[in-house]
Amino acid sequence: MAENISQRYELRLRAHPRILADIRRAVGARLRLWGREELISAAGMCVTELLSNVHKHAASPECVLTLVNLPYGIQAAVSDTESALPVVKEPDFLSESGRGMFLLSKTAHDWGTDLTPMGKTVWFTLRAEAVEP
């Protein structure tokens, strides 16, 4: 393979429900480029949840989405200017909202939050089924 494809992708954006489909397509395109097709659906759902949380809970919609191709899968992160950390609640499946972080916690192989000087970063990793770390 002669191409040198960057193993890191960063996108600065303003979180809003209108752009979520476009962001899922961009995530899917990057994962296809990296040969991570099996992770596209889960990554799209998890990234959508993180961006929805920025839109709903952060004072500013400005954020940065980062994807990193790892030997065993991918890591995705959303950094925003809000220091309040997300909370995973047992979902009320009859409710219109409130299930996102629960679903992310059950979908991602690992996830967490890091406080930063500018706010916080919420990240998750997805492992490719064919590769053990």
Side-chain angles (χ1 to χ4, degrees), residues 30-103:
R30 179 56 53 162
L31 296 189
R32 265 189 292 286
L33 191 62
W34 288 341
R36 300 291 189 189
E37 291 86 352
E38 76 276 18
L39 301 178
I40 290 173
S41 178
M45 188 278 295
C46 292
V47 164
T48 296
E49 176 51 33
L50 295 184
L51 294 175
S52 294
N53 280 352
V54 171
H55 174 71
K56 290 177 196 161
H57 303 295
S60 168
E62 303 290 331
C63 60
V64 178
L65 168 64
T66 307
L67 301 173
V68 180
N69 192 18
L70 303 168
Y72 57 84
I74 63 149
Q75 182 176 67
V78 172
S79 301
D80 64 40
T81 57
E82 191 65 44
S83 60
L85 300 178
V87 176
V88 176
K89 301 181 281 204
E90 276 299 314
D92 172 357
F93 288 101
L94 299 177
S95 172
E96 290 288 315
S97 63
R99 292 185 293 275
M101 288 305 296
F102 176 80
L103 291 172

Side-chain angles (χ1 to χ4, degrees), residues 9 11 13 16-30 32 47-48 51 65:
Y9 175 75
L11 185 61
L13 56 104
H16 192 279
R18 273 194 316 266
I19 68 163
L20 294 177
D22 290 338
I23 299 302
R24 280 193 300 275
R25 279 192 288 279
V27 168
R30 179 56 53 162
R32 265 189 292 286
V47 164
T48 296
L51 294 175
L65 168 64

